[in-house]
Amino acid sequence: RGLGDVYKRQQCCIVDGSCRGKAITVKVFPNCDGKLDPKFRREAMVLSHLAKKPLVGVSQLIGVTVHEHMSSIALEPFSTTLRTFLTECSFKNTSETKALFRDICRAVKHVHAAGVAHLDLNPDNILVDQATRSVTLCNFINSHISPKKLEKQDTVVVQNLIEAEFAGPQALTNAALNPFLADIYSLGCVYYYILRGSAPDVNDEGVVQSLDGLSPEAAVVIRMMLDSCPTKRPSIDDLIRHPSLAPKRVWKAVRTISPSFISCLLYTSP
């Protein structure tokens, strides 16, 4: 989908040598008629914006290089994509599934707090460390930087969107949209993919047709995220706090008190 060619390298040709001997990932974008690829411009701009305050869950920018025939972005090494991770790893219970999705939501929350909407959240743009299961977002070529905080009813026109696998109905038509609520729609598709291994069944307008095979609590929250009316979708904060995604509380008995001792406390005069 024109994301730029991705390579793994041991060294980065940076003047100060700060990356030498360090494993990195390099994304290469060919120039067209001597002009920089618009996808390179957008991703470099978004990553530079996010790098002002390094965020947990975001691919870390190391450097940007511009040549006559190509441009490149150097990043921290990529982990396994969510798509590959789900084929190679199994979950012991629903608690682990919820924990993974909560971590994805937290990464999106950090990006949204920095004023950036990803606009291409899908299993290939979410990375998972197989050892720690930590989550990282990557590929910001579709992303939008908002100069101000948008309310639910606010919309903007995002130019030159590349077709995204899990994009909402507004993003597919290039209509004015709230980019942050568009991310919520994509998250609903991602959660369904984690649970079922496929994209949800939606029609041409992006309206969900069926959520068969899901637990009632999962179906409720996914249907909320996939609502065709963007203003009815939960915010990222509401989503993280939703009861269906909350971890189960484990109660531990600190000390056992006999009924007779409780009676003594209740009826003994001061």
Side-chain angles (χ1 to χ4, degrees):
R1 302 202 337 271
L3 300 180
D5 296 323
V6 180
Y7 303 92
K8 291 183 178 180
R9 291 290 182 265
Q10 284 300 118
Q11 290 186 335
C12 179
C13 297
I14 294 179
V15 175
D16 62 7
S18 60
C19 295
R20 296 189 181 279
K22 182 179 180 180
I24 60 172
T25 296
V26 180
K27 294 183 68 175
V28 177
F29 300 81
N31 296 343
C32 182
D33 297 327
K35 296 181 180 179
L36 298 178
D37 189 323
K39 297 186 291 293
F40 164 78
R41 286 180 177 274
R42 181 176 292 187
E43 182 153 28
M45 180 176 65
V46 171
L47 289 173
S48 297
H49 174 79
L50 293 173
K52 294 176 183 177
K53 184 180 179 181
L55 304 172
V56 176
V58 178
S59 51
Q60 298 300 307
L61 176 67
I62 294 177
V64 173
T65 306
V66 177
H67 296 289
E68 182 180 356
H69 301 294
M70 68 176 189
S71 306
S72 63
I73 300 174
L75 302 159
E76 291 287 341
F78 277 12
S79 308
T80 303
T81 66
L82 176 62
R83 194 185 301 274
T84 301
F85 176 81
L86 293 174
T87 62
E88 297 178 351
C89 300
S90 59
F91 295 99
K92 297 178 181 178
N93 48 55
T94 56
S95 296
E96 290 187 354
T97 306
K98 291 179 182 179
L100 175 62
F101 185 64
R102 280 198 307 274
D103 286 344
I104 294 172
C105 290
R106 290 191 184 102
V108 173
K109 178 181 178 179
H110 293 153
V111 171
H112 283 192
V116 174
H118 190 282
L119 291 178
D120 196 7
L121 294 169
N122 68 65
D124 293 320
N125 290 341
I126 298 170
L127 308 174
V128 184
D129 187 289
Q130 289 184 315
T132 65
R133 295 197 173 184
S134 59
V135 170
T136 303
L137 305 182
C138 67
N139 288 335
F140 290 85
I141 63 170
N142 250 9
S143 299
H144 172 76
I145 301 176
S146 177
K148 65 176 183 177
K149 183 178 180 181
L150 298 181
E151 302 299 331
K152 277 196 170 186
Q153 68 275 11
D154 295 336
T155 60
V156 296
V157 176
V158 182
Q159 301 289 344
N160 303 318
L161 280 178
I162 297 169
E163 184 177 348
E165 181 181 5
F166 286 170
Q170 290 76 27
L172 293 175
T173 60
N174 284 325
L177 53 76
N178 184 310
F180 301 100
L181 294 178
D183 275 354
I184 300 299
Y185 184 97
S186 299
L187 280 174
C189 296
V190 168
Y191 193 25
Y192 186 92
Y193 187 92
I194 292 173
L195 296 172
R196 301 292 295 163
S198 62
D201 180 18
V202 296
N203 63 18
D204 293 339
E205 287 74 39
V207 178
V208 62
Q209 300 298 292
S210 172
L211 292 177
D212 294 340
L214 298 180
S215 67
E217 62 176 12
V220 167
V221 71
I222 288 177
R223 196 173 291 278
M224 290 170 57
M225 288 186 277
L226 298 183
D227 199 302
S228 58
C229 178
T231 57
K232 293 182 179 179
R233 297 172 198 158
S235 67
I236 190 64
D237 288 316
D238 293 336
L239 188 57
I240 292 172
R241 292 193 297 261
H242 196 275
S244 68
L245 295 176
K248 290 183 177 180
R249 292 185 178 183
V250 179
W251 298 94
K252 295 182 180 180
V254 178
R255 180 181 177 186
T256 302
I257 301 176
S258 66
S260 59
F261 183 74
I262 295 175
S263 299
C264 180
L265 290 176
L266 292 175
Y267 298 107
T268 300
S269 300

